[in-house]
Amino acid sequence: MELLTPGTGLIFWQAITFLAVVFILGRFAWGPIMSSLKAREDSIEDALRAADLAKEEMKILQADNEKLLQEARKERDEILKEAQTAANRIRSEAKEDAESSASRILDDARREIIQQKEKALAEMKGMVADLSIDIAEKVLRRELEDKGSQEKLVNDLLKDTKLN
Amino acid sequence: MINRIFALRFLLIISMFFLSGKTFASSSDSEEFRPGDVILHHVLDDHIWHFWDGPYGTLYLPVIVYSADRGLVVFSSSNFYNEDHDVVPYNGYVLDHGHIGLEGSEAMVWDFSITKNVAFLFLNAALLVFVFLSVAKGYRKNEGGPPRGIQSFFEPIILFIRDEVVKPNIGPRYERYLPYLLTLFFFIWFGNLLGLMPGAANMTGNIAVTLVLAVATFILTTISGNKNYWGHIFNTPGVPIVLKPIIVPVEIIGMFTKPISLMIRLFVAITAGHIVILSLISLSFVFHSYVVGVGSSLIVIFINLIEILVATIQAYVFTMFSSLYIGMAVEEHH
């Protein structure tokens, strides 16, 4: 039965000692331990949150980059297209110019040729006439060196020319 | 560390076997060996701390008594024993089965002696303070860093108590009660484990010790009780008015049965463990046989393993139920 009857002395000492231990540990052990544990947990949580934030920012940045790239690509395409049309325009203009100037040159040449030809023809005509007259003169002079041939010619001519 | 406890316990068994075997064997000629008395003597508190027979084997602890007639008196408990280790009266005080009284008087004598359990209690408290101040120093020295040394051994246990025992049972306002509950857990745990050491006292298996712990939880629960808690006791919601005269006394009794269950559970679990171990050890002396001794020693080793488990489980259970009761007192709504 003694087992079940608590001794007053032990109750007294246990109460004092246990309260003292609770007080000492509460003041000098659990307080600092709990605050350091909390501080550590907070710092870990903060670090994790910061990492998440950084990840999010990274994602936004990446999206921005993608957008910028897209825009740049579009711009490049536009510029290329513009350049293409400009080049085409310049090319066709140049072609037209070349064609028109070529035809003009051709016309000029043709006209020149005709002119030259006419001139040459005219000159030739004069020269042929002169030559013919010269030749005729020389032939006549040789033919008509003597009297007999002169008379014969006149007669021939007269024969041909019927006076009627 | 646990291995060392086993080794020590084993050594104790072996040594008891050889040393005490002779003593008991010789004494059994004149008087019969009564295991019941031996076991009860080991389990109960005492004014001396007996380690072994022979010189320097007994620590005589101070006796502190107070009586209305003679006031506060302090003397060594060795005065109660003569050369033959028989109990004798001293200076008018008599020691009768662990109780001190005045010779030829029925007057009340208050015994505040530093008994075996009180000395053991001081040892336990000192160890507790030493260990956890070292742990706290670790946190100061190593601020923000990972735990090191003794700190890393206790941190998971502290976190377990905080996150698995106190927080879920008490709720958002758990921090106020954490120092008490952590001290409670480690006080019981250390006490239980130290109690398993050879020569140790049965401190956490003493009803006075468990009574104080249970009363501490009861006081904390009662002063923490909010309107909801008292309302639940004196005006239990959802109960018809006719049943109230039955329910209210039940609820009031419930307030007290909770700490009483705490007190008895720890006391019984630890004392029973000690009794089982001592009974098994006594077997060899009852049968006067070394063979039985070897067999029972093997079983004692096994029981010791279970006792280490029980030491931890009982500390956990006491803390868990204390948290639960405090949690019920501070709970806001259902």
Side-chain angles (χ1 to χ4, degrees):
Chain A
M1 209 47 222
E2 209 194 326
L3 202 61
L4 296 175
T5 48
T8 44
L10 191 50
I11 290 177
F12 172 76
W13 290 114
Q14 160 69 5
I16 287 182
T17 315
F18 184 66
L19 282 179
V21 171
V22 169
F23 175 77
I24 293 169
L25 290 186
R27 181 93 175 69
F28 301 108
W30 306 129
I33 289 171
M34 283 305 146
S35 58
S36 341
L37 279 176
K38 192 154 230 169
R40 195 203 295 159
E41 277 159 9
D42 285 351
S43 85
I44 289 170
E45 209 165 296
D46 280 355
L48 283 176
R49 204 174 296 130
D52 271 352
L53 226 71
K55 221 200 259 167
E56 207 72 18
E57 253 167 50
M58 197 70 159
K59 224 181 258 171
I60 292 168
L61 228 71
Q62 244 162 3
D64 275 2
N65 276 356
E66 194 63 30
K67 220 167 79 186
L68 271 172
L69 216 69
Q70 208 86 18
E71 271 171 22
R73 222 172 270 148
K74 223 166 88 188
E75 216 164 303
R76 187 198 63 185
D77 284 353
E78 263 166 34
I79 290 169
L80 268 176
K81 220 158 85 189
E82 262 172 38
Q84 197 84 37
T85 49
N88 281 346
R89 207 184 58 230
I90 289 166
R91 204 184 294 144
S92 64
E93 271 175 17
K95 207 168 146 194
E96 265 167 38
D97 272 7
E99 268 169 9
S100 68
S101 69
S103 67
R104 206 177 56 236
I105 290 164
L106 228 64
D107 281 357
D108 283 358
R110 210 170 279 140
R111 218 175 294 128
E112 187 80 358
I113 289 165
I114 291 167
Q115 229 173 354
Q116 291 294 330
K117 200 171 95 184
E118 277 170 1
K119 220 167 120 189
L121 269 174
E123 255 172 47
M124 243 167 56
K125 265 183 196 158
M127 271 166 72
V128 167
D130 282 354
L131 218 68
S132 314
I133 292 166
D134 270 2
I135 293 168
E137 198 186 305
K138 274 173 194 165
V139 169
L140 277 176
R141 221 165 260 175
R142 184 116 30 100
E143 290 274 315
L144 298 173
E145 268 174 3
D146 53 287
K147 230 163 147 181
S149 37
Q150 280 178 16
E151 275 172 5
K152 192 188 174 227
L153 180 67
V154 174
N155 284 338
D156 283 349
L157 282 172
L158 279 173
K159 220 195 285 176
D160 286 346
T161 328
K162 282 179 181 156
L163 296 168
N164 39 356
Chain B
M1 184 198 145
I2 283 165
N3 277 334
R4 203 166 301 160
I5 296 171
F6 286 140
L8 284 169
R9 175 55 87 170
F10 193 70
L11 275 177
L12 168 90
I13 293 154
I14 299 299
S15 58
M16 270 193 82
F17 209 0
F18 287 105
L19 295 173
S20 316
K22 201 185 79 204
T23 331
F24 282 118
S26 59
S27 61
S28 67
D29 295 335
S30 51
E31 54 182 283
E32 214 186 330
F33 171 65
R34 301 208 312 201
D37 291 350
V38 174
I39 291 166
L40 217 59
H41 176 76
H42 273 87
V43 165
L44 285 176
D45 205 357
D46 204 349
H47 285 87
I48 57 169
W49 199 339
H50 182 85
F51 294 101
W52 61 83
D53 289 337
Y56 308 112
T58 307
L59 186 66
Y60 290 101
L61 298 159
V63 172
I64 304 167
V65 282
Y66 176 83
S67 54
D69 304 356
R70 309 187 51 171
L72 196 68
V73 182
V74 180
F75 56 92
S76 167
S77 58
S78 62
N79 292 311
F80 280 129
Y81 297 91
N82 62 14
E83 297 83 47
D84 301 324
H85 210 69
D86 291 322
V87 179
V88 290
Y90 168 75
N91 206 10
Y93 292 99
V94 282
L95 182 65
D96 176 35
H97 287 98
H99 290 295
I100 295 174
L102 278 169
E103 222 170 359
S105 158
E106 287 294 301
M108 185 71 191
V109 176
W110 295 93
D111 184 0
F112 294 108
S113 302
I114 307 300
T115 58
K116 186 173 156 187
N117 274 335
V118 175
F120 195 72
L121 168 72
F122 290 163
L123 269 175
N124 187 38
L127 185 71
L128 213 58
V129 168
F130 172 75
V131 165
F132 287 100
L133 288 188
S134 308
V135 173
K137 207 168 92 189
Y139 282 97
R140 253 202 322 279
K141 246 196 203 157
N142 181 20
E143 209 166 339
R148 281 185 206 150
I150 195 170
Q151 200 189 347
S152 52
F153 179 78
F154 284 104
E155 184 175 307
I157 303 168
I158 295 169
L159 287 178
F160 173 77
I161 297 297
R162 189 191 71 177
D163 297 334
E164 307 296 328
V165 179
V166 179
K167 228 190 248 181
N169 282 319
I170 296 186
R173 291 172 71 211
Y174 74 95
E175 267 170 354
R176 282 174 65 194
Y177 305 99
L178 203 52
Y180 167 70
L181 291 163
L182 280 169
T183 312
L184 188 67
F185 175 79
F186 286 109
F187 183 91
I188 298 170
W189 194 40
F190 276 40
N192 288 349
L193 287 177
L194 288 176
L196 290 173
M197 303 265 265
N202 180 27
M203 195 248 310
T204 43
N206 189 296
I207 202 155
V209 172
T210 61
L211 170 80
V212 172
L213 297 175
V215 166
T217 292
F218 174 71
I219 291 172
L220 205 56
T221 309
T222 309
I223 61 171
S224 304
N226 58 15
K227 229 163 69 186
N228 192 30
Y229 173 71
W230 294 115
H232 204 92
I233 290 171
F234 293 108
N235 188 18
T236 318
V239 172
I241 225 102
V242 200
L243 287 175
K244 285 239 161 98
I246 305 165
I247 293 297
V248 170
V250 168
E251 287 284 344
I252 292 169
I253 292 166
M255 275 172 67
F256 297 98
T257 51
K258 285 171 195 163
I260 289 169
S261 73
L262 283 180
M263 171 181 85
I264 292 172
R265 186 185 300 110
L266 180 60
F267 154 71
V268 165
I270 303 305
T271 301
H274 282 239
I275 290 174
V276 167
I277 288 171
L278 291 165
S279 306
L280 286 165
I281 290 172
S282 299
L283 279 180
S284 57
F285 306 120
V286 172
F287 288 102
H288 293 286
S289 159
Y290 288 111
V291 180
V292 172
V294 171
S296 67
S297 297
L298 289 173
I299 301 169
V300 165
I301 292 168
F302 174 67
I303 299 287
N304 251 299
L305 279 163
I306 292 176
E307 280 308 303
I308 286 171
L309 204 68
V310 169
T312 314
I313 290 170
Q314 286 303 323
Y316 164 73
V317 164
F318 201 109
T319 315
M320 202 265 283
F321 276 108
S322 292
S323 310
L324 194 69
Y325 299 154
I326 294 170
M328 284 161 91
V330 298
E331 195 178 34
E332 286 302 335
H333 289 288
H334 277 283

